[in-house]
Amino acid sequence: MKEIDNVMADAPFGERLEMEKYILVILFLIQQRWGYIINKEFAKDNITTKQWLMLVILGNAFDHDPSMQEVAEAMSTTHQNVKQLASRLQDSGFLKIERDPDNKRILRLKFTEQCYKYWEKRDEADIDSITNLFNVLDDEEVKSLFSIMNKLEKLSLVKYQKSKKE
């Protein structure tokens, strides 16, 4: 496989479209590689990257015990995928799946005490893991990337919702 610097040297990156194509490919490659790294890091705890993402979203995107459908929407996935992830996390002791007291058709996801304790003991390891993924960037580059990713995430949400309606 060619080194990325050689690919960049050979490509006509003077044109915006060529740069956008490159960025798209690189985003997918980073996602694949970071997914592998995260899977490896959490394998000893029997947590997959998708389960990790769901736990992060549960802990940060809601100020209540969300329904499976709310989590599916937040993760841009299906109710069935969330149900599978939640069931495995429940089997591992990280979540409880409980019926909503007001509407028995709705299943709500709740962290267990085991889950809270797990994340407390991981805090320092997580800080190291995250900072190692970005250690080639200085503070200004992180701020710029944060702003850029925020814009791309908002655009992706709009396009995702539009494509679901089509």
Side-chain angles (χ1 to χ4, degrees):
M1 186 167 144
K2 287 184 180 180
E3 288 292 321
I4 198 67
D5 291 334
N6 293 337
V7 172
M8 290 180 66
D10 294 343
F13 283 117
E15 296 180 35
R16 180 183 173 117
L17 179 59
E18 293 305 316
M19 287 187 273
E20 290 170 341
K21 288 179 188 177
Y22 173 80
I23 291 167
L24 184 61
V25 169
I26 293 302
L27 282 172
F28 279 105
L29 286 174
I30 291 169
Q31 184 270 329
Q32 285 290 107
R33 292 170 184 161
W34 284 4
Y36 176 84
I37 292 165
I38 292 168
N39 270 331
K40 194 169 182 179
E41 175 136 351
F42 287 105
K44 65 185 176 295
D45 302 320
N46 225 13
I47 298 175
T48 66
T49 303
K50 288 183 180 181
Q51 291 168 337
W52 167 81
L53 178 61
M54 189 168 100
L55 290 171
V56 169
I57 288 172
L58 277 169
N60 293 286
F62 300 99
D63 55 7
H64 63 283
D65 295 327
S67 69
M68 285 202 195
Q69 189 57 44
E70 288 174 310
V71 175
E73 290 171 16
M75 291 181 66
S76 301
T77 191
T78 65
H79 179 277
Q80 187 60 33
N81 285 343
V82 168
K83 188 172 185 178
Q84 288 176 348
L85 293 169
S87 293
R88 288 187 191 120
L89 287 166
Q90 181 173 251
D91 292 344
S92 299
F94 287 94
L95 290 180
K96 286 183 189 173
I97 302 171
E98 296 181 351
R99 295 218 174 266
D100 186 290
D102 299 324
N103 184 342
K104 299 294 182 194
R105 294 175 300 176
I106 296 174
L107 296 173
R108 298 213 171 267
L109 305 179
K110 297 182 177 193
F111 284 134
T112 62
E113 189 61 33
Q114 174 186 329
C115 187
Y116 287 117
K117 288 178 182 175
Y118 172 77
W119 289 111
E120 282 176 18
K121 77 174 186 184
R122 279 210 51 91
D123 280 347
E124 198 167 310
D126 287 345
I127 290 169
D128 290 342
S129 296
I130 292 167
T131 56
N132 282 329
L133 294 173
F134 295 95
N135 65 7
V136 298
L137 303 176
D138 65 32
D139 290 349
E140 284 304 310
E141 289 170 323
V142 170
K143 287 178 186 175
S144 294
L145 181 59
F146 182 84
S147 175
I148 291 165
M149 296 305 291
N150 188 40
K151 287 180 184 179
L152 290 174
E153 190 280 328
K154 287 178 182 176
L155 176 64
S156 72
L157 179 60
V158 168
K159 292 192 174 295
Y160 173 74
Q161 290 172 336
K162 183 180 175 189
S163 72
K164 283 180 64 175
K165 291 178 184 176
E166 294 174 349

